[in-house]
Amino acid sequence: MHVKVGALIVLAFTLVSCASFIKSLSNLQVSFEQSLDQPSSSTQPAPYQPAPGAQSKPQPTQAGALAAGTRPAIVASNPSSPPIPPGWDAAVVDTTQGADYLTAIERKVVIEINLVRTNPAEYAQTFIVPMRRYFQGKILQYPGEIAIMTNEGPSALEEAIRQLESTNAVGPLSPKKGLVLAARDHANDQAKTGQTGHSGADGSDPGQRIARYGKWKATWGENIDYGNSQARRIVTALLIDDGVPSRGHRKNLLNPKFETVGVAVGPHPVYRSMCVMDFAGGYESSFNGTGG
């Protein structure tokens, strides 16, 4: 067994997470609060290095590999969208119709977020409970893949299951082009620099990038995942939130105050892939004088 230690990392700006930023609108006045507590070093693992003499095993490319053995999917209402699993209404969770600015994987990520938001308990049973079989102590190993040494082992997974089973459904998120462009700016930036975290090379924070392309309402947040290239892997990693005491990524995904989202998935020179999610309580895109 070859093990990569902590090769996946997730970062969040959220209302209560470590490394958090939050803005709120109150009586048309904008307030800005910044938390200075930073994630522990355990959330910033070293880049993946195979063990000496190890041969990298082929990585599965089928979206939804985590859900092996689960029920078959049904066809989405939007022919260009991925199939929607039983237990969900495609008309509710697929909010990506007309969002031609999203890539195929970004569309899948938006739908995946909406699956967990609109039916948390069913999502836990269908997609997270089956992950138990892949743990051996703190080692997580999917079939045919290099093993991953996690920080907490299955305890974080079990906590996520319990919380999702007791969480009420919240509304789905609608993609907004301005939020996608803000997320894409950061993904493109880090694809060049190889950096991680929420600060851009130009010193921007998520709120400044979000404001480049429109006006946000009520609140905003940002999640970043490094190392996953499949929509379900991205979302389940953020839900489990291994090694993040605040579970800030999970809180962002389930935050009932968020109504809109922008997703950008792209390459990363150190972690191979990354996904940026920018959330807002509402958003009106204003670039080039257009809305949406």
Side-chain angles (χ1 to χ4, degrees):
M1 177 187 298
H2 305 304
V3 180
K4 53 181 178 181
V5 180
L8 306 180
I9 64 175
V10 287
L11 298 171
F13 279 115
T14 179
L15 299 179
V16 292
S17 73
C18 50
S20 64
F21 280 73
I22 180 64
K23 287 187 177 181
S24 299
L25 287 177
S26 176
N27 298 324
L28 300 181
Q29 298 297 314
V30 180
S31 64
F32 178 79
E33 298 175 13
Q34 175 178 346
S35 173
L36 298 179
D37 54 322
Q38 298 296 322
S40 65
S41 59
S42 63
T43 65
Q44 301 286 343
Y48 164 55
Q49 296 291 339
Q55 298 294 319
S56 297
K57 298 181 181 179
Q59 303 294 312
T61 58
Q62 180 181 0
L66 292 186
T70 59
R71 295 170 296 175
I74 61 176
V75 177
S77 59
N78 183 355
S80 63
S81 297
I84 306 300
W88 285 270
D89 184 346
V92 173
V93 298
D94 185 359
T95 58
T96 66
Q97 297 190 51
D100 55 1
Y101 46 84
L102 292 170
T103 66
I105 180 62
E106 290 164 358
R107 187 184 300 272
K108 291 178 181 179
V109 171
V110 172
I111 293 173
E112 197 71 23
I113 293 170
N114 287 339
L115 292 178
V116 68
R117 286 176 64 88
T118 58
N119 199 337
E122 182 69 14
Y123 192 93
Q125 286 300 314
T126 305
F127 302 120
I128 299 185
V129 167
M131 292 177 62
R132 288 169 171 163
R133 73 188 75 171
Y134 303 133
F135 273 93
Q136 299 178 27
K138 289 188 175 182
I139 296 175
L140 172 64
Q141 184 170 26
Y142 300 109
E145 299 188 29
I146 300 296
I148 299 168
M149 178 64 74
T150 65
N151 290 289
E152 300 175 63
S155 62
L157 178 142
E158 296 298 335
E159 180 197 295
I161 292 171
R162 289 193 299 272
Q163 181 171 351
L164 290 173
E165 289 178 337
S166 62
T167 296
N168 293 327
V170 295
L173 302 179
S174 297
K176 292 294 183 179
K177 188 173 183 179
L179 290 175
V180 172
L181 293 176
R184 200 163 285 164
D185 279 356
H186 197 49
N188 289 340
D189 178 21
Q190 294 194 341
K192 298 174 183 177
T193 66
Q195 297 297 308
T196 61
H198 299 279
S199 297
D202 60 357
S204 63
D205 64 46
Q208 292 170 323
R209 294 188 292 271
I210 289 170
R212 288 173 184 168
Y213 301 104
K215 295 181 179 180
W216 53 270
K217 300 177 182 178
T219 187
W220 58 257
E222 180 174 85
N223 279 359
I224 308 177
D225 174 86
Y226 298 90
N228 289 301
S229 59
Q230 300 174 21
R232 188 151 296 147
R233 291 281 180 93
I234 291 167
V235 172
T236 53
L238 293 167
L239 285 169
I240 294 170
D241 228 358
D242 176 63
V244 181
S246 70
R247 307 301 192 214
H249 313 89
R250 185 190 305 166
K251 291 173 181 176
N252 271 352
L253 289 171
L254 299 173
N255 190 335
K257 295 182 180 180
F258 292 143
E259 298 182 1
T260 58
V261 69
V263 172
V265 177
H268 191 275
V270 179
Y271 294 101
R272 302 181 182 176
S273 61
M274 64 178 294
C275 175
V276 181
M277 303 173 182
D278 284 336
F279 307 93
Y283 195 80
E284 182 179 352
S285 301
S286 60
F287 53 94
N288 296 327
T290 62

